[in-house]
Amino acid sequence: MFTVLTSPSGEPGVANCDFVIFPDRWLVAEDTFRPPWYHRNCMSEYMGLIYGQYDAKEEGFVPGGGSLHNQMSAHGPDIDAFEKASNAELKPQKLSGTMAFMFESRYIIRPTKFAMETASLQHNYSDVWQGLKKNFSA
């Protein structure tokens, strides 16, 4: 992942907006567990796929599609990506034939009325996480 452009704010370490790309790249941490990357951010993320497949959602994220996760919204890979990452052979892997981008902002991104009412809106977006099993107990 590469930050291509940033708009700094007056607060050190906090950007107004970053533009990031996800081009072809190597995953090279040999003999290490690469856990799926579930997380929450203090920044809002709008991500889009230009071409190829996005490794966190190979089936449900099509070129031209986008997703929005506002500040502190939990998100991460779908069940298939979780299983693939959890069971992958721990050797260098190249992710190729893909290009995704992300705008990350310290501000909440508010979708327009048009965006919330378009026929293209994926109303069942959260279903990709419904089958995840609990792997930890209290």
Side-chain angles (χ1 to χ4, degrees):
M1 302 182 295
F2 303 96
T3 300
V4 176
L5 184 64
T6 190
S7 167
S9 71
E11 187 176 335
V14 179
N16 290 317
C17 186
D18 289 326
F19 176 65
V20 179
I21 61 168
F22 299 76
D24 292 357
R25 61 199 177 278
W26 281 93
L27 303 175
V28 294
E30 291 183 89
D31 300 318
T32 61
F33 177 58
R34 296 181 196 127
W37 43 103
Y38 297 103
H39 61 286
R40 294 176 192 236
N41 297 338
C42 61
M43 307 262 292
S44 297
E45 293 181 354
Y46 176 78
M47 178 165 254
L49 183 63
I50 298 170
Y51 62 83
Q53 290 182 318
Y54 183 60
D55 57 322
K57 289 182 179 61
E58 290 182 3
E59 298 299 320
F61 201 55
V62 297
S67 65
L68 173 62
H69 298 105
N70 268 316
Q71 298 170 350
M72 300 312 292
S73 298
H75 58 286
D78 62 18
I79 296 168
D80 293 336
F82 173 87
E83 292 298 331
K84 185 177 177 182
S86 297
N87 296 300
E89 185 178 351
L90 300 177
K91 65 177 188 176
Q93 299 170 335
K94 183 165 187 183
L95 300 177
S96 59
T98 183
M99 177 64 77
F101 69 90
M102 180 174 66
F103 286 100
E104 187 174 60
S105 176
R106 69 183 186 148
Y107 300 108
I108 292 173
I109 299 170
R110 291 186 176 87
T112 64
K113 183 175 189 263
F114 175 82
M116 295 305 295
E117 294 177 356
T118 184
S120 299
L121 183 66
Q122 186 179 0
H123 294 282
N124 63 343
Y125 181 76
S126 62
D127 289 355
V128 299
W129 299 294
Q130 297 308 311
L132 286 170
K133 294 176 254 152
K134 292 183 179 182
N135 292 303
F136 300 97
S137 59

